[in-house]
Amino acid sequence: MNDFELVSSAFESNGSEDISSDLIFFDDNGEETTDNVLKLTALSNGIRIDSFIAESTDLTRTFAANLCEKGCVSVNGKLAKKNTKLTEGDEITVTMPESEVIDALPENMPLSVVYEDEDLLVVDKPKGMVVHPAPGNYSGTLVNALLYHCKDSLSGINGKMRPGIVHRIDKDTKGLLIVAKNDFAHNALAEQIKTHSFSRKYHAVLYGTPKELQGTLRCGIGRAKNDRKKMAYYPAGTPNTKEAVSDYRVLESGGGISYVEFTLHTGRTHQIRIHSQMMGHPVVGDPLYAGNRDMMGIKGQALTAYHIGFIHPRSGKEIILQCDDGEDIKKLIDHIERTR
């Protein structure tokens, strides 16, 4: 396989997307986490801390300033005021207060359950459904459906807004997501994600066809400098980014698009969407990273988390599950086959 190392952080998307539930933090091992603690490192001197937090996350400056006033922000272990000026290398910690969290409520909604036992379940999340509630989006989420389906049988590790959620996928990405019913299962599954023994594969349809039909994509992923709603790629090791590694393999191509399998080695926000853009072949329909390209009759990225594999926390047996790609990708595959 060929390694594609990042040499530029050029950005060309003019799209927009509702990311009201897309605030994602990272743990000390660089994995995505739904914990409420965010850690950042200052890259320059003199910037106000509320401005820095707003530029580095999807929080507004006003919200960041309020967090400072509530004692939720520290610099090098000391509480910071909203007008605190940063020095290069300062370590910033932001803690979201419990007062910002409300109880998610059960809702009777269709739920496609692929696997279920006393410890966990795996669902096939439909495209367009947000995983968990967030400010401005408290109902109609997967968590609301899970609370109705599972009643009180969900792990409480991630709090009242994200019960049972071990990992997540984007709103407009269809596919498999594992849910823990108790803290024992949650801790065991989280450890598998941390140690990369949790397998995740995706199918995507990309604009054009990569020159190399298979390879490994590697870069740092962090917030885009010119738009805090987006992620961007940077050289691996860039401060305030996390290393992202994916393998890809072109399965079919034709009609100006290609059907591609991605295997994740890390789980970063928008990882496949960013890696595809980095190759110069964004995901078809992607409102954030595809620029002004033809959406080809679909709304949202043509991306499905079709495969998940893990060791069952209690039995120790390997479980591998798959789902279909969904109507959007099927339609695009038909286009490939008609035009080859």
Side-chain angles (χ1 to χ4, degrees):
M1 286 191 173
N2 295 315
D3 284 354
F4 287 77
E5 299 291 345
L6 174 76
V7 294
S8 169
S9 59
F11 222 79
E12 59 179 359
S13 173
N14 296 313
S16 61
E17 181 181 14
D18 175 11
I19 62 160
S20 59
S21 65
D22 278 358
L23 179 60
I24 294 298
F25 296 157
F26 298 99
D27 63 22
D28 291 336
N29 296 285
E31 292 293 339
E32 286 185 7
T33 175
T34 48
D35 292 341
N36 64 334
V37 177
L38 171 65
K39 294 183 178 181
L40 298 167
T41 302
L43 303 181
S44 59
N45 298 321
I47 187 172
R48 281 176 50 131
I49 191 167
D50 54 353
S51 296
F52 176 75
I53 292 171
E55 291 175 3
S56 302
T57 71
D58 57 8
L59 300 174
T60 66
R61 180 174 175 176
T62 299
F63 192 84
N66 289 336
L67 289 177
C68 292
E69 294 303 306
K70 292 177 181 179
C72 298
V73 180
S74 64
V75 178
N76 301 326
K78 297 181 180 180
L79 291 181
K81 295 182 179 180
K82 63 182 180 181
N83 61 351
T84 296
K85 297 290 183 69
L86 295 174
T87 300
E88 183 178 356
D90 280 346
E91 298 294 331
I92 299 97
T93 301
V94 183
T95 303
M96 297 292 286
E98 288 299 323
S99 60
E100 302 296 335
V101 177
I102 66 167
D103 288 353
L105 300 176
E107 295 181 33
N108 186 6
M109 296 184 291
L111 193 64
S112 176
V113 178
V114 178
Y115 174 90
E116 183 173 13
D117 61 29
E118 63 181 3
D119 290 307
L120 57 91
L121 69 157
V122 177
V123 298
D124 182 1
K125 185 191 81 67
K127 186 171 185 174
M129 176 180 274
V130 174
V131 171
H132 55 74
N137 194 5
Y138 294 117
S139 65
T141 74
L142 178 63
V143 162
N144 297 111
L146 288 169
L147 287 169
Y148 184 89
H149 178 82
C150 298
K151 311 304 180 188
D152 295 327
S153 298
L154 287 172
S155 75
I157 288 176
N158 277 332
K160 295 180 180 180
M161 291 279 273
R162 298 163 178 168
I165 300 301
V166 181
H167 66 115
R168 43 148 280 158
I169 56 179
D170 294 333
K171 173 185 175 182
D172 284 329
T173 298
K174 174 191 181 295
L176 299 180
L177 189 145
I178 191 167
V179 178
K181 287 187 173 182
N182 52 59
D183 291 354
F184 165 77
H186 193 127
N187 285 326
L189 293 165
E191 181 65 20
Q192 290 183 48
I193 294 176
K194 177 179 172 181
T195 58
H196 308 296
S197 59
F198 189 95
S199 66
R200 286 169 286 181
K201 297 183 181 182
Y202 287 68
H203 282 153
V205 179
L206 310 185
Y207 293 103
T209 302
K211 182 178 180 180
E212 302 290 342
L213 298 184
Q214 62 180 15
T216 297
L217 301 161
R218 188 190 316 272
C219 69
I221 290 182
R223 290 287 166 185
K225 295 178 180 178
N226 60 340
D227 189 338
R228 62 186 177 83
K229 294 182 179 181
K230 299 175 184 176
M231 307 303 289
Y233 53 85
Y234 301 90
T238 299
N240 297 330
T241 70
K242 299 298 178 182
E243 184 183 40
V245 183
S246 306
D247 294 335
Y248 75 92
R249 181 168 61 100
V250 176
L251 303 175
E252 295 184 70
S253 63
I257 58 177
S258 56
Y259 179 47
V260 181
E261 179 189 69
F262 286 87
T263 300
L264 297 188
H265 295 287
T266 56
R268 312 303 183 205
T269 304
H270 299 175
Q271 177 167 320
I272 292 172
R273 299 164 68 184
I274 290 293
H275 275 162
S276 299
Q277 188 213 23
M278 188 176 83
M279 285 195 291
H281 300 282
V283 178
V284 171
D286 194 325
L288 281 182
Y289 306 113
N292 294 320
R293 291 174 173 84
D294 180 6
M295 297 291 108
M296 301 192 70
I298 70 171
K299 184 178 180 181
Q301 61 272 8
L303 182 63
T304 295
Y306 87 94
H307 170 109
I308 197 168
F310 58 94
I311 302 300
H312 193 282
R314 198 172 300 276
S315 70
K317 294 181 179 180
E318 183 180 26
I319 295 179
I320 296 176
L321 300 166
Q322 295 186 346
C323 69
D324 67 85
D325 285 331
E327 291 305 313
D328 283 347
I329 289 184
K330 289 178 182 176
K331 180 166 60 175
L332 293 171
I333 291 175
D334 287 343
H335 171 81
I336 289 173
E337 293 176 346
R338 288 196 310 269
T339 54
R340 275 194 305 200

